[in-house]
Amino acid sequence: MELVFQAEVDDEARFADCDLVVVADGVNSRFRDKHADHFRPEVDVRPNKFTWMGSTRPLDAFTFIFQDTEWGPFIAHAYQYEAGASTWVFETDPQTFERAGLGAMSEAESARLMEHIFGWFLDGHPVLTNRSIWRSFPMIRNERWVRGNMVLLGDAKASAHFSIGSGTKLAMEDAIALHEALGQERTIDAALTRYETGRREEVEKTQHAADVSLVWFEHVARFWDFDPVQFAFGVMTRAKAITYDNLRLRAPEFVAEVDRTFARQVRARGFDVDADAPTVPMFQPLALRDMVLPNRVVVSPMDMYSAVDGVPTDWHLVHYGSRAVGGAALMFTEMTCPSPEARITLGCAGLWSDEQERAWAKIVDFVHANSAAKFCLQLGHSGRKGATKLMWEGMDRPLETGAWDICSASPIPYFPDSQVPREVTRADMDRITAEFVQAAERGERAGFDMLELHCAHGYLLASFLSPLTNRRSDAYGGSIENRLRYPLEVFDALRAVWPKHKPMSVRISATDWAEGGVTGEDAVAIARAFAEHGVDLVDVSTGQTVREARPIYGRMFQTPFSDQIRNEAQVATMCVGNITSADQVNTILAAGRADLVALARPHLVDPFFTMKAAAWYGVASIHCPPQYQPGRDQIFRNSVRDRADLDDLRLRAKPKTRAELKMEREAASKLAAE
Ligand SMILES: Cc1cc2nc3c(=O)[nH]c(=O)nc-3n(C[C@H](O)[C@H](O)[C@H](O)COP(=O)(O)OP(=O)(O)OC[C@H]3O[C@@H](n4cnc5c(N)ncnc54)[C@H](O)[C@@H]3O)c2cc1C
Ligand SMILES: Cc1cc2nc3c(=O)[nH]c(=O)nc-3n(C[C@H](O)[C@H](O)[C@H](O)COP(=O)(O)O)c2cc1C
């Protein structure tokens, strides 16, 4: 075998007779680009600027340093790779880069500037350079990894942002996977197929974590005014791998300080909570106007498709009743419709008649009499998704018989074979607003504690907000101000009749997940507009606007939008979407990504989600109806032991840190010397 080093390769023809060609030529891969039509690379060049330098400053762990300057924030990602030598990657946003004049500086000058900015931490150690130019990070993905006997490996195939420090790991694991595949298969073709199919999911998972992490660093200004402890918790939990519970096992003192910080913020809002030995964030109270919630868990609105002529039935009494006694602080009704035409399906609940009002009042009374839960009425109009089938008969599919005329901001059908909606006229707007107002008045009489206006998921009011469904040329279409006009009009009309002491929220789709639709930035503008009109909470959902949407699902997948809206528009938010554990609820709250956390599907199968979490964290104050007290006592007793067992298991499974391994080695050699 011949090994050749330090040889530039510019033509693949010289490998024509090779069995296998491994293309591992890095992010700027010449051979990937040469065959771009085959590999189909996607290169997403990120806005932030970074440079890779070094220092002699010793470091005992991976260290992030955040430094404010007269030009803006700078970040150092630093780690020691051998005694007396550490890597320092400096990062900043393009505006700060510009203001600091870094574009015009030489390598040496920019190193001196970094020494100046991070001097307090460098402790007299120099910043060293090695072709340290300022660059932008390219996120690289390839639709195909294999072309004949040519295979992409490492950064050429898929890059991962340096903030999660996994690029080399990915490249090494690629090489291992390729080696194993070659050993397992009889032909090169089969081995390359095995490599690509077997490895793709793992690579994409790491890339997704890296994406989330790099976006956090791009938006660091959003968290700049956070308490330092909360800021640090946010950095650590940004990429979802580290959560409240697993950090509590590794660094219990730090998480105790996170809890105290959170409790101090709650105290600053007028609650007399214990800030020295506080409960976990999930069980800290929150007030929206005069409505006080004892914890932060919410039952998200869920259509039951089980009403008869819009009247809630025994099903609803049992459904809402059991979820209310389960311990969540706030429960939403399903989308309740202010008129028969506003319904999505024939099974949707309404609030346009006395009979419906009485049926809702009975459920509200049960909830108030038997639980500590507050009850929020969600009002919405189906728009172009109206006159469709029940969820289990074909979601959003048009009714074959018995359909009524539907309306929307613009006459665009949802499916190509859906009914074409009528474009809403000014007269329609007035009538629909009046119907909403009457439903809200009925809701107040029925005893609801809170009111939500549904402006999400492509229904009537959402159809005004999204440019994909609003093609109007009048004062209600075009600019975001115009698209907001009618939803805000309805909101104002409701706010005017809804009692001042009771809160109101609005549900929005913070992105349409589709080209040309609403983006996170638009959602911030939408949230700001509602906040100016007196909204108390923005319920941050996403999508369901157009059929061609391409959502990116995953754990807590909509939380980044709640984070963006809460911390840019400075309005209280509720997040929702694939949040399934109390650990995730605590992680989201403690990092300041939302004020309330809603769960929909988990509550369908587990009404007692919150009660169980209270037992887990030992929060004795959770309300429990006397009928269920013995069950509550048992789960509280058992949870103490279960939690200790799980902690023990997790601690045993936890890989040892370098410091722990060093201590073990030192102890062993001391023992041997004795
Ligand atoms: C600032 C920064 C910090 C990072 N920190 C970390 C970290 O802490 N931990 C971590 O795991 N990863 C980190 N990474 C990522 C890591 O460096 C890469 O993921 C890793 O080096 C990828 O390995 P690779 O072999 O695919 O590519 P590379 O390391 O880029 O190697 C490609 C090689 O191919 C050579 N080459 C290119 N074209 C030709 C040609 N035509 N002929 C011959 N040779 C050619 C290049 O000279 C180069 O040596 C960081 C990346 C950056 C940008
Ligand atoms: C059966 C069902 C019915 C739903 N009905 C409504 C509804 O009436 N109004 C609404 O705003 N969202 C509705 N949603 C969306 C949920 O409130 C929630 O946003 C979504 O399910 C994501 O949360 P999850 O991952 O916790 O389920 C419904 C969801 C489900 C599963």
Side-chain angles (χ1 to χ4, degrees), residues 6-11 14 23-31 50-53 62 77 79 87-90 131 135 137-138 153-172 174:
Q6 300 294 331
E8 183 74 18
V9 181
D10 44 20
D11 184 7
R14 63 189 266 199
V23 179
D25 50 352
V27 270
N28 298 317
S29 171
R30 181 186 303 182
F31 294 101
F50 75 92
T51 184
W52 197 334
M53 297 190 180
F62 199 107
H77 309 240
Y79 52 93
T87 292
W88 284 64
V89 181
F90 297 104
R131 285 182 291 144
R135 297 182 273 154
F137 187 83
L153 189 145
D155 275 6
K157 161 191 80 12
S159 60
H161 191 248
F162 51 82
S163 60
I164 65 163
S166 296
T168 309
K169 182 169 169 279
L170 270 188
M172 299 299 284
D174 285 348

Coordinates of all heavy atoms in Angstrom, one line a residue, residues 6-11 14 23-31 50-53 62 77 79 87-90 131 135 137-138 153-172 174, ligand 1:
Q6 N 0.4 15.3 1.7 CA 0.7 16.7 1.2 C 0.7 16.8 -0.3 O 1.5 17.5 -0.9 CB 2.1 17.2 1.7 CG 2.2 17.2 3.2 CD 1.4 18.3 3.8 OE1 1.1 19.3 3.3 NE2 0.9 18.0 5.1
A7 N -0.3 16.1 -0.9 CA -0.4 16.2 -2.4 C -1.7 16.8 -2.8 O -2.8 16.3 -2.3 CB -0.3 14.8 -3.0
E8 N -1.6 17.8 -3.6 CA -2.9 18.5 -4.0 C -3.5 17.6 -5.1 O -2.8 17.1 -6.0 CB -2.4 19.8 -4.6 CG -3.5 20.7 -5.1 CD -4.3 21.4 -4.0 OE1 -3.8 21.4 -2.9 OE2 -5.4 21.8 -4.2
V9 N -4.8 17.4 -5.0 CA -5.5 16.6 -6.0 C -6.4 17.6 -6.8 O -7.3 18.3 -6.2 CB -6.4 15.6 -5.4 CG1 -7.1 14.8 -6.4 CG2 -5.6 14.7 -4.5
D10 N -6.2 17.7 -8.1 CA -7.1 18.6 -8.8 C -7.9 17.9 -9.9 O -8.8 18.4 -10.5 CB -6.3 19.7 -9.4 CG -5.0 19.3 -10.1 OD1 -5.0 18.1 -10.4 OD2 -4.1 20.1 -10.3
D11 N -7.6 16.6 -10.1 CA -8.4 15.9 -11.1 C -8.7 14.5 -10.6 O -7.7 13.7 -10.3 CB -7.5 15.8 -12.4 CG -8.2 15.2 -13.5 OD1 -9.4 14.9 -13.4 OD2 -7.6 15.0 -14.6
R14 N -7.2 10.6 -12.2 CA -6.1 9.7 -11.7 C -6.6 8.6 -10.8 O -5.9 7.7 -10.6 CB -5.0 10.5 -11.1 CG -5.5 11.2 -9.8 CD -4.4 12.2 -9.3 NE -3.5 11.5 -8.3 CZ -2.8 12.2 -7.5 NH1 -2.8 13.5 -7.5 NH2 -2.0 11.6 -6.7
V23 N -14.2 11.2 -0.7 CA -14.0 12.6 -0.8 C -14.2 13.3 0.5 O -15.3 13.4 1.1 CB -15.1 13.2 -1.8 CG1 -15.0 14.7 -2.0 CG2 -15.0 12.5 -3.2
A24 N -13.0 13.7 1.1 CA -13.0 14.3 2.5 C -12.2 15.6 2.4 O -11.3 15.8 3.2 CB -12.4 13.3 3.5
D25 N -12.6 16.4 1.4 CA -11.9 17.6 1.2 C -12.5 18.9 1.9 O -12.3 20.0 1.4 CB -11.6 17.9 -0.3 CG -12.9 17.8 -1.1 OD1 -13.9 17.4 -0.6 OD2 -12.8 18.1 -2.3
G26 N -13.3 18.7 3.0 CA -13.7 19.8 3.8 C -14.9 20.6 3.3 O -15.5 20.2 2.3
V27 N -15.2 21.7 4.1 CA -16.4 22.4 3.8 C -16.5 23.0 2.3 O -17.5 23.0 1.7 CB -16.6 23.7 4.7 CG1 -17.4 23.3 5.9 CG2 -15.3 24.4 5.0
N28 N -15.3 23.3 1.8 CA -15.3 23.9 0.4 C -15.0 22.9 -0.6 O -14.5 23.2 -1.7 CB -14.2 25.0 0.4 CG -14.5 26.2 1.3 OD1 -15.7 26.6 1.4 ND2 -13.5 26.6 2.0
S29 N -15.4 21.7 -0.3 CA -15.1 20.5 -1.2 C -15.2 20.8 -2.7 O -16.3 21.1 -3.2 CB -16.1 19.4 -0.8 OG -16.0 18.3 -1.8
R30 N -14.1 20.7 -3.3 CA -14.0 20.9 -4.8 C -14.8 19.8 -5.5 O -15.5 20.1 -6.5 CB -12.5 20.9 -5.2 CG -12.3 21.2 -6.6 CD -10.8 21.0 -6.9 NE -10.0 21.9 -6.1 CZ -8.6 21.9 -6.2 NH1 -8.0 21.2 -7.1 NH2 -7.9 22.7 -5.5
F31 N -14.6 18.6 -5.0 CA -15.2 17.5 -5.8 C -16.7 17.4 -5.6 O -17.5 16.9 -6.5 CB -14.5 16.2 -5.5 CG -13.1 16.2 -6.0 CD1 -12.0 16.5 -5.1 CD2 -12.8 16.1 -7.3 CE1 -10.7 16.6 -5.6 CE2 -11.5 16.2 -7.8 CZ -10.5 16.5 -7.0
F50 N -16.9 34.8 12.2 CA -16.0 34.2 13.2 C -14.6 34.0 12.7 O -14.4 34.1 11.5 CB -16.6 32.8 13.6 CG -16.3 31.7 12.6 CD1 -15.2 30.9 12.7 CD2 -17.2 31.5 11.5 CE1 -14.9 29.9 11.7 CE2 -17.0 30.5 10.6 CZ -15.8 29.8 10.7
T51 N -13.7 33.9 13.7 CA -12.3 33.6 13.3 C -11.7 32.6 14.3 O -12.1 32.6 15.5 CB -11.4 34.9 13.2 OG1 -10.1 34.5 12.8 CG2 -11.3 35.6 14.6
W52 N -10.8 31.8 13.8 CA -10.2 30.7 14.6 C -8.8 31.1 15.1 O -7.9 31.3 14.2 CB -10.2 29.5 13.7 CG -10.1 28.2 14.5 CD1 -9.5 28.0 15.7 CD2 -10.5 26.9 14.0 NE1 -9.5 26.7 16.0 CE2 -10.2 26.0 14.9 CE3 -11.2 26.5 12.8 CZ2 -10.5 24.6 14.8 CZ3 -11.5 25.2 12.7 CH2 -11.1 24.2 13.7
M53 N -8.6 31.4 16.3 CA -7.3 31.8 16.8 C -6.9 30.9 18.0 O -7.5 29.8 18.2 CB -7.3 33.3 17.3 CG -7.7 34.3 16.2 SD -7.4 36.0 16.7 CE -7.9 36.8 15.1
F62 N -14.5 23.5 28.6 CA -15.0 24.3 27.5 C -15.6 25.6 28.1 O -16.4 25.5 29.0 CB -16.0 23.5 26.8 CG -16.3 24.0 25.4 CD1 -15.8 23.2 24.3 CD2 -16.9 25.2 25.1 CE1 -16.0 23.7 23.0 CE2 -17.1 25.6 23.9 CZ -16.7 24.9 22.8
H77 N -15.5 31.2 22.1 CA -15.7 29.8 22.4 C -14.2 29.3 22.6 O -13.4 29.2 21.6 CB -16.3 29.0 21.2 CG -17.5 29.7 20.6 ND1 -18.7 29.0 20.5 CD2 -17.7 30.9 20.0 CE1 -19.6 29.8 20.0 NE2 -19.0 30.9 19.6
Y79 N -11.4 26.4 24.3 CA -11.1 25.1 25.0 C -9.6 24.8 24.9 O -9.0 25.1 23.9 CB -11.9 24.0 24.4 CG -11.9 23.9 22.9 CD1 -11.0 23.0 22.3 CD2 -12.7 24.6 22.1 CE1 -10.9 22.9 20.9 CE2 -12.7 24.6 20.7 CZ -11.8 23.7 20.1 OH -11.7 23.7 18.8
T87 N -7.7 26.6 22.0 CA -8.3 27.1 20.8 C -9.2 28.2 21.2 O -10.0 28.1 22.2 CB -9.1 26.0 20.1 OG1 -8.2 25.1 19.6 CG2 -10.0 26.6 19.0
W88 N -9.2 29.3 20.5 CA -10.2 30.4 20.7 C -10.9 30.8 19.4 O -10.2 31.3 18.5 CB -9.4 31.6 21.3 CG -9.0 31.5 22.7 CD1 -8.1 30.5 23.2 CD2 -9.5 32.2 23.8 NE1 -8.0 30.7 24.6 CE2 -8.9 31.7 25.0 CE3 -10.4 33.3 24.0 CZ2 -9.1 32.2 26.3 CZ3 -10.6 33.8 25.3 CH2 -10.0 33.2 26.4
V89 N -12.2 30.5 19.4 CA -12.9 31.0 18.2 C -13.7 32.2 18.7 O -14.4 32.2 19.7 CB -13.9 29.9 17.8 CG1 -14.7 30.3 16.6 CG2 -13.2 28.6 17.5
F90 N -13.5 33.3 18.0 CA -14.2 34.5 18.3 C -15.4 34.7 17.3 O -15.2 34.4 16.1 CB -13.3 35.7 18.2 CG -12.1 35.6 19.2 CD1 -10.9 35.3 18.8 CD2 -12.4 35.9 20.5 CE1 -9.8 35.2 19.7 CE2 -11.3 35.8 21.5 CZ -10.0 35.4 21.0
R131 N -3.4 31.8 10.1 CA -4.2 32.1 9.0 C -5.7 32.3 9.5 O -6.6 31.7 9.0 CB -4.2 30.9 8.0 CG -2.9 30.9 7.1 CD -2.9 29.8 6.1 NE -2.8 28.5 6.7 CZ -3.4 27.4 6.3 NH1 -4.2 27.5 5.2 NH2 -3.3 26.3 6.9
R135 N -14.6 34.7 8.9 CA -15.4 34.0 7.9 C -16.8 33.9 8.3 O -17.1 34.3 9.4 CB -14.8 32.6 7.7 CG -13.4 32.5 7.2 CD -13.1 31.0 7.0 NE -12.5 30.4 8.3 CZ -12.6 29.1 8.5 NH1 -13.2 28.3 7.7 NH2 -12.1 28.6 9.7
F137 N -19.9 31.0 8.7 CA -20.0 29.5 8.7 C -21.0 29.0 7.7 O -22.2 29.4 7.7 CB -20.5 29.1 10.1 CG -20.4 27.6 10.3 CD1 -19.2 27.0 10.6 CD2 -21.5 26.8 10.1 CE1 -19.1 25.6 10.7 CE2 -21.5 25.5 10.2 CZ -20.3 24.9 10.6
P138 N -20.6 28.0 6.9 CA -21.6 27.4 5.9 C -22.2 26.1 6.5 O -21.5 25.2 6.9 CB -20.7 27.1 4.7 CG -19.3 26.9 5.3 CD -19.2 27.5 6.6
L153 N -17.5 12.4 2.8 CA -17.3 12.1 4.2 C -16.9 13.4 4.9 O -16.2 14.3 4.3 CB -16.2 11.1 4.3 CG -15.8 10.4 5.6 CD1 -15.4 8.9 5.3 CD2 -14.7 11.1 6.3
G154 N -17.3 13.6 6.2 CA -16.9 14.7 7.0 C -17.6 16.0 6.5 O -18.7 16.0 6.0
D155 N -16.9 17.1 6.7 CA -17.5 18.4 6.4 C -18.0 18.6 4.9 O -18.9 19.3 4.6 CB -16.5 19.6 6.6 CG -16.5 20.0 8.1 OD1 -17.2 19.4 8.9 OD2 -15.8 21.0 8.4
A156 N -17.3 17.9 4.0 CA -17.7 17.9 2.6 C -19.2 17.5 2.5 O -19.9 18.0 1.6 CB -16.8 17.0 1.8
K157 N -19.6 16.6 3.3 CA -20.9 16.0 3.3 C -21.9 16.8 4.1 O -23.0 17.1 3.7 CB -20.8 14.6 3.7 CG -22.1 13.9 4.1 CD -21.8 12.6 4.8 CE -21.4 12.6 6.2 NZ -21.4 13.6 7.1
A158 N -21.5 17.1 5.4 CA -22.4 17.7 6.3 C -21.6 18.4 7.4 O -20.8 17.8 8.1 CB -23.3 16.7 7.0
S159 N -21.8 19.8 7.5 CA -21.0 20.5 8.6 C -21.9 20.6 9.8 O -23.1 20.6 9.7 CB -20.6 21.8 8.0 OG -21.7 22.6 7.7
A160 N -21.3 20.9 10.9 CA -22.0 21.1 12.2 C -21.4 22.3 12.9 O -20.1 22.3 13.1 CB -22.0 19.9 13.1
H161 N -22.1 23.3 13.2 CA -21.6 24.5 13.8 C -20.6 24.3 14.9 O -20.9 23.4 15.8 CB -22.7 25.4 14.2 CG -22.3 26.8 14.6 ND1 -22.3 27.3 15.9 CD2 -21.8 27.8 13.8 CE1 -21.9 28.6 15.8 NE2 -21.6 28.9 14.6
F162 N -19.6 25.0 15.0 CA -18.5 24.8 16.0 C -19.0 25.0 17.4 O -18.3 24.5 18.3 CB -17.3 25.7 15.7 CG -17.7 27.2 15.5 CD1 -17.9 28.0 16.6 CD2 -17.9 27.7 14.3 CE1 -18.2 29.3 16.5 CE2 -18.2 29.0 14.1 CZ -18.4 29.9 15.2
S163 N -20.1 25.6 17.6 CA -20.6 25.9 19.0 C -21.0 24.6 19.7 O -21.1 24.5 20.9 CB -21.7 26.9 19.0 OG -22.8 26.4 18.3
I164 N -21.2 23.5 18.9 CA -21.5 22.2 19.6 C -20.3 21.3 19.6 O -20.3 20.2 20.1 CB -22.8 21.5 19.2 CG1 -22.7 21.0 17.7 CG2 -24.0 22.3 19.4 CD1 -23.7 20.0 17.4
G165 N -19.2 21.8 18.9 CA -18.0 21.0 19.0 C -18.1 19.6 18.5 O -17.5 18.7 19.1
S166 N -18.8 19.3 17.4 CA -19.0 17.9 17.0 C -18.6 17.6 15.6 O -18.8 16.5 15.1 CB -20.5 17.5 17.2 OG -20.9 17.6 18.5
G167 N -18.0 18.6 14.9 CA -17.7 18.4 13.5 C -16.6 17.3 13.3 O -16.8 16.4 12.4
T168 N -15.6 17.3 14.1 CA -14.6 16.3 14.0 C -15.1 14.9 14.4 O -14.9 13.9 13.7 CB -13.4 16.6 14.9 OG1 -13.0 17.9 14.6 CG2 -12.2 15.7 14.7
K169 N -16.0 14.9 15.4 CA -16.6 13.7 15.9 C -17.5 13.1 14.7 O -17.4 11.9 14.4 CB -17.5 14.0 17.1 CG -18.2 12.9 17.7 CD -18.8 13.3 19.0 CE -19.7 12.2 19.6 NZ -21.1 12.2 19.0
L170 N -18.2 14.0 14.1 CA -19.0 13.5 12.9 C -18.2 12.9 11.9 O -18.5 11.8 11.3 CB -19.8 14.7 12.3 CG -21.2 15.0 12.9 CD1 -21.9 16.1 12.0 CD2 -22.1 13.8 12.9
A171 N -17.1 13.6 11.5 CA -16.2 13.1 10.5 C -15.6 11.8 10.9 O -15.5 10.9 10.0 CB -15.1 14.2 10.2
M172 N -15.1 11.7 12.1 CA -14.5 10.4 12.6 C -15.6 9.3 12.5 O -15.3 8.1 12.1 CB -14.0 10.5 14.0 CG -12.9 11.6 14.2 SD -11.4 11.3 13.2 CE -10.7 10.0 14.1
D174 N -18.2 9.1 10.7 CA -18.4 8.8 9.3 C -17.4 7.7 8.8 O -17.7 6.7 8.2 CB -18.2 10.0 8.4 CG -19.3 11.0 8.4 OD1 -20.3 10.7 9.0 OD2 -19.1 12.1 7.9
Ligands
LIG1 C1 -13.9 27.6 14.2 C2 -14.2 26.2 14.2 C3 -14.0 25.5 15.4 C4 -14.3 24.1 15.4 N1 -14.2 23.5 16.6 C5 -14.4 22.1 16.7 C6 -14.4 21.4 17.9 O1 -14.1 22.0 18.9 N2 -14.6 20.1 17.9 C7 -15.0 19.5 16.7 O2 -15.2 18.2 16.8 N3 -15.0 20.1 15.6 C8 -14.8 21.4 15.5 N4 -14.8 22.1 14.3 C9 -15.2 21.3 13.1 C10 -14.0 20.6 12.5 O3 -12.9 21.3 12.3 C11 -14.4 19.9 11.2 O4 -15.7 19.4 11.3 C12 -13.5 18.8 10.8 O5 -12.2 19.3 10.7 C13 -14.0 18.2 9.5 O6 -13.0 17.3 9.1 P1 -12.9 17.0 7.5 O7 -11.8 16.0 7.5 O8 -14.2 16.6 6.9 O9 -12.4 18.3 6.9 P2 -11.1 19.2 7.1 O10 -10.6 19.1 8.5 O11 -11.4 20.6 6.6 O12 -10.1 18.5 6.2 C14 -10.1 18.6 4.8 C15 -8.7 18.4 4.2 O13 -8.8 18.3 2.8 C16 -7.7 19.0 2.3 N5 -8.0 19.3 0.9 C17 -9.0 20.1 0.4 N6 -9.0 20.1 -0.9 C18 -8.0 19.3 -1.3 C19 -7.4 18.9 -2.6 N7 -8.0 19.3 -3.7 N8 -6.3 18.1 -2.6 C20 -5.8 17.7 -1.4 N9 -6.2 18.0 -0.2 C21 -7.3 18.8 -0.2 C22 -7.6 20.3 3.2 O14 -6.3 20.9 3.0 C23 -7.8 19.7 4.5 O15 -6.7 19.3 5.1 C24 -14.6 23.4 14.2 C25 -14.7 24.1 13.0 C26 -14.5 25.5 13.0 C27 -14.7 26.2 11.7

